[in-house]
Amino acid sequence: MRRDEGVAPEGDRPDPVDVRLGARLAELRAERGWSLGELAERSGVSRSTLSRAERAETSPTASLLNRLCAVYGRTMSQLLSEVEAEAAPVPLVRAADQAVWEDRAAGFVRRSVSPPHAGLRGELVEGRLAAGADIAYDRPPVPGLEQHVWVLDGRLDITVQDAEHRLDPGDCLRLRVWGPTRFRCPGPRDARYALAVVLP
């Protein structure tokens, strides 16, 4: 099957991160006592897609995780830190140990720069978008989330509701997210940016 359908090719073993992520998503649903049908209604994601994500039969996209984060009231970094966190949070994480998550279909790579901690209110993330990549989020994971986007390399076009912003290297956009956003890398080079996220 095609990778952009979110399904691992036949014969491939599931990615260990996808397995841990799927298990955590299943735990979050169970903690609330929701059926797959109830979660599908709340998130707008089909039952079959949710089931396959929980069983690590699909590698979830950034848009899918964003929808689930919105339902569960946490940022993507919080969700991923719950998957990666050690028994006791540490104040320092070396570059080689920073968690990296990839949405291959969308051409998006996300590095959690901040040390993992489930109670983070502020966090730092490095994002990379391949030339031509275009990711749309229909809602913020947490309404009123504050974001600072600082472009380090390449060009990034960001749409916040109806306002469009073109960011070149060195440019920084600060926003509060209440509605849809869209991140595009028009090329010709990949875009690399730092994203600071602060919970309201």
Side-chain angles (χ1 to χ4, degrees), residues 80-158:
L80 293 174
S81 73
E82 291 168 7
V83 172
E84 297 292 338
E86 299 176 18
V90 294
L92 173 67
V93 61
R94 302 291 180 190
D97 298 325
Q98 292 167 358
V100 176
W101 179 80
E102 185 175 0
D103 179 346
R104 294 179 191 91
F108 174 55
V109 178
R110 182 186 191 289
R111 176 183 294 275
S112 294
V113 178
S114 297
H117 191 292
L120 288 175
R121 291 198 57 77
E123 56 201 272
L124 189 60
V125 172
E126 178 192 35
R128 290 177 182 268
L129 274 182
D134 188 340
I135 300 179
Y137 301 102
D138 64 347
R139 67 192 89 170
V142 177
L145 191 68
E146 182 178 352
Q147 296 184 342
H148 302 246
V149 185
W150 181 28
V151 174
L152 304 173
D153 193 29
R155 177 179 155 193
L156 192 61
D157 292 342
I158 301 177

Side-chain angles (χ1 to χ4, degrees), residues 154-170:
R155 177 179 155 193
L156 192 61
D157 292 342
I158 301 177
T159 305
V160 184
Q161 293 176 316
D162 294 325
E164 295 190 13
H165 306 275
R166 173 183 172 165
L167 281 72
D168 291 307

